Amino acid sequence: LAKTTQPISMDSYEGQEVNITCSHNNIATNDYITWYQQFPSQGPRFIIQGYKTKVTNEVASLFIPADRKSSTLSLPRVSLSDTAVYYCLVGDNGSARQLTFGSGTQLTVLP
Amino acid sequence: GAVVSQHPSRVICKSGTSVKIECRSLDFQATTMFWYRQFPKQSLMLMATSNEGSKATYEQGVEKDKFLINHASLTLSTLTVTSAHPEDSSFYICSAYSTSGGATDTQYFGPGTRLTVL
């Protein structure tokens, strides 16, 4: 299983764009990159998933360079309610392989 | 789409009793479900992988006789904590793997169950 490395914590202010970068140097050819958000005492919530280049949905964008050894989750115009832990995971979706959670990034949005 | 529920959301029990937690995929079928445990201020730790119609696969260090997993249907997996002790108090989270066409193929998580053993 590919290991991921993320910053332990980040602070931002309301209305700013936040970029969280994840390193996954040992990503395998079949691995997808998935990001989850977790609030205290809740299960992780799926945010976005991608394989290469750029993926965008209604809540975030995911940027993946050509070598796929890292990825960046971009949250536009964050609000206080975006304060949460964000996890970056890599895994082979085709085989429903287990995901290994790293320490995640605690994002704190300040007023 | 891809909604997963858990029941109960929280449970308090006496030491030595058994507790059953249900995990259901509400709008999709899941041949594979996963059970995680999360202690305060820590990340999720995978306990076991549950496959419909077969025995669960447990991670190293997880006692299979203490944490009984049953995945009897494509929408239901249960985790039974047998003879619970205070050190089993934790936040238990399940996930279900979705390959249905309406949602991204990935794991979708339940809301979690807070277990407190007195």
Side-chain angles (χ1 to χ4, degrees):
Chain A
L1 297 172
K3 180 180 177 181
T4 60
T5 303
Q6 308 172 230
I8 295 296
S9 64
M10 292 181 68
D11 289 344
S12 181
Y13 291 95
E14 281 191 289
Q16 289 188 336
E17 177 185 77
V18 171
N19 295 310
I20 306 175
T21 297
C22 177
S23 172
H24 28 79
N25 291 316
N26 297 322
I27 189 169
T29 302
N30 294 333
D31 284 344
Y32 280 72
I33 301 156
T34 309
W35 285 80
Y36 291 90
Q37 174 193 56
Q38 187 182 29
F39 297 111
S41 297
Q42 294 187 28
R45 182 176 75 100
F46 170 78
I47 301 175
I48 197 166
Q49 183 182 87
Y51 183 81
K52 62 180 179 181
T53 61
K54 176 183 175 182
V55 180
T56 298
N57 61 23
E58 62 276 8
V59 297
S61 294
L62 179 59
F63 298 93
I64 306 168
D67 65 6
R68 303 197 332 120
K69 293 184 181 300
S70 67
S71 59
T72 299
L73 173 72
S74 181
L75 304 172
R77 297 179 299 281
V78 295
S79 63
L80 296 177
S81 62
D82 292 318
T83 295
V85 177
Y86 292 81
Y87 293 99
C88 159
L89 299 99
V90 296
D92 181 352
N93 282 8
S95 64
R97 197 174 297 176
Q98 62 195 47
L99 298 173
T100 299
F101 279 78
S103 58
T105 298
Q106 171 66 59
L107 172 65
T108 302
V109 180
L110 305 169
Chain B
V3 179
V4 178
S5 69
Q6 276 185 247
H7 178 79
S9 58
R10 59 177 63 232
V11 56
I12 301 172
C13 68
K14 293 182 179 180
S15 183
T17 61
S18 294
V19 174
K20 179 185 286 189
I21 302 170
E22 294 185 348
C23 176
R24 294 182 185 273
S25 55
L26 299 184
D27 51 2
F28 65 99
Q29 294 184 330
T31 56
T32 304
M33 291 184 173
F34 302 87
W35 287 94
Y36 296 81
R37 181 167 51 181
Q38 186 174 35
F39 293 105
K41 302 296 184 183
Q42 294 186 22
S43 186
L44 283 75
M45 290 172 38
L46 179 67
M47 298 176 66
T49 301
S50 170
N51 293 300
E52 187 265 338
S54 64
K55 291 183 178 180
T57 303
Y58 292 82
E59 294 301 297
Q60 190 173 8
V62 178
E63 300 175 56
K64 62 180 181 180
D65 294 329
K66 181 171 186 61
F67 298 98
L68 301 180
I69 292 173
N70 187 322
H71 193 158
S73 78
L74 290 174
T75 60
L76 173 64
S77 176
T78 60
L79 168 68
T80 301
V81 183
T82 62
S83 186
H85 291 284
E87 58 265 29
D88 298 323
S89 297
S90 188
F91 191 53
Y92 291 85
I93 309 170
C94 73
S95 71
Y97 185 77
S98 171
T99 57
S100 58
T104 302
D105 293 352
T106 191
Q107 291 185 36
Y108 292 89
F109 289 81
T113 296
R114 174 75 59 192
L115 170 63
T116 303
V117 184
L118 302 177

